[in-house]
């Protein structure tokens, strides 16, 4: 249960950070978002990533929680990167 919660929080954080970038906004929405929503996505992303750490520590203990959080951090960033890459390649193939 803890693993899934930590991974979900980190996936949401990295997705928010990715969507706070103009390039990914153009890819996903067809145009850059206004400054307010972009700033909110960036802040929310940066708040979610460290929020997953106490969840991991509480559920798994200090030592293993830190290790699990680091591993989930790497996995979540790779999954968001792969999702963005696959969407861009599918869009390019349709053109």
């Amino acid at each position: 249960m803890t693993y899934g919660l930590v991974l979900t929080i980190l996936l949401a954080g990295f997705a928010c950070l990715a969507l706070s970038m103009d390039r990914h906004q153009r890819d996903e929405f067809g145009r850059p978002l206004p400054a307010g929503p972009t700033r909110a996505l960036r802040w929310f992303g940066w708040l979610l990533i460290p929020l997953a750490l106490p969840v991991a520590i509480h559920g798994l203990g200090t030592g293993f929680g830190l290790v699990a959080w680091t591993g989930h951090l790497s996995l979540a960033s790779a999954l968001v990167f792969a999702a963005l890459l696959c969407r861009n390649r599918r869009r390019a193939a349709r053109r």
Side-chain angles (χ1 to χ4, degrees):
M1 178 79 170
T2 301
Y3 296 114
L5 182 59
V6 170
L7 185 61
T8 302
I9 293 169
L10 289 171
L11 280 170
F14 278 113
C16 287
L17 286 176
L19 290 175
S20 72
M21 298 173 61
D22 287 344
R23 175 182 176 194
H24 299 305
Q25 289 173 3
R26 275 190 225 99
D27 290 345
E28 297 303 318
F29 307 122
R31 62 180 173 76
L33 295 176
T38 298
R39 195 175 310 112
L41 281 168
R42 189 174 299 122
W43 275 100
F44 197 57
W46 281 115
L47 287 173
L48 283 174
I49 290 172
L51 176 72
L53 181 58
V55 172
I57 289 173
H58 178 70
L60 303 169
T62 304
F64 195 68
L66 287 168
V67 172
W69 179 76
T70 305
H72 283 84
L73 192 70
S74 300
L75 178 63
S77 65
L79 289 173
V80 170
F81 173 76
L84 290 170
L85 185 65
C86 287
R87 284 185 57 90
N88 285 339
R89 287 189 178 179
R90 283 186 183 164
R91 272 196 204 108
R94 280 189 241 152
R95 292 181 189 168

